[in-house]
């Protein structure tokens, strides 16, 4: 479990860093990023920052294109598996999030492979 969680945390940091610089992505939230509003308190409370990254795309259509183009990200509502999964949170209603808000749970894929997949999927948005 320790090895698995460390891999997910390392990959999540790489994903968050990549997404934070991508022009089609906004509102990246990951407590490991120094610019994240939760970073200061998370740094005091955590030694690692977990495997969940959230971000926003323009709208629900952009998210649908992203999911359709990705080869490694599974659209799912249940997190914690070995594979990277994500959901468009607004589809459930009730939460005050944009139509393009995505929660992504990083799996155990090679970080380079995952970043390449995210890049090519975002190219379709």
């Amino acid at each position: 479990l320790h090895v698995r969680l460390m891999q997910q945390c390392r990959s999540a940091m790489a994903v968050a860093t990549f997404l934070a610089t991508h022009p089609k992505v906004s509102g990246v939230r990951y407590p490991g990023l120094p610019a994240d509003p939760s970073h200061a308190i998370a740094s005091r409370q955590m030694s690692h920052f977990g495997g969940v990254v959230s971000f926003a795309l323009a709208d629900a259509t952009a998210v649908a294109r992203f999911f359709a183009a990705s080869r490694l990200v599974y659209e799912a509502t249940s997190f914690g598996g070995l594979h990277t999964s994500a959901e468009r949170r607004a589809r459930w209603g009730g939460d005050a999030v944009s139509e393009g808000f995505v929660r992504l749970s990083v799996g155990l894929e090679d970080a380079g492979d995952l970043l390449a997949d995210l890049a090519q999927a975002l190219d379709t948005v």
Side-chain angles (χ1 to χ4, degrees):
L1 179 62
H2 175 74
V3 172
R4 175 181 167 182
L5 291 175
M6 292 302 97
Q7 176 64 33
Q8 286 176 295
C9 290
R10 280 191 300 273
S11 293
M13 179 63 87
V15 166
T17 301
F18 166 75
L19 292 173
T21 64
H22 198 283
K24 294 182 180 176
V25 175
S26 64
V28 175
R29 293 295 310 268
Y30 185 69
L33 294 175
D36 189 274
S38 302
H39 182 74
I41 194 165
S43 294
R44 289 192 304 271
Q45 295 177 345
M46 307 167 140
S47 56
H48 304 286
F49 301 103
V52 177
V53 179
S54 65
F55 61 96
L57 298 177
D59 54 30
T61 301
V63 176
R65 286 187 188 132
F66 171 77
F67 284 145
S70 177
R71 294 182 194 108
L72 295 179
V73 178
Y74 293 88
E75 189 173 3
T77 59
S78 179
F79 289 168
L82 299 176
H83 303 285
T84 297
S85 57
E87 69 165 342
R88 186 179 69 82
R89 190 70 191 154
R91 73 184 266 198
W92 303 109
D95 290 334
V97 295
S98 71
E99 286 295 315
F101 182 78
V102 176
R103 286 184 343 129
L104 183 133
S105 175
V106 175
L108 295 179
E109 299 88 357
D110 175 79
D113 291 345
L114 184 55
L115 293 175
D117 184 61
L118 293 172
Q120 69 80 28
L122 288 168
D123 284 346
T124 70
V125 172

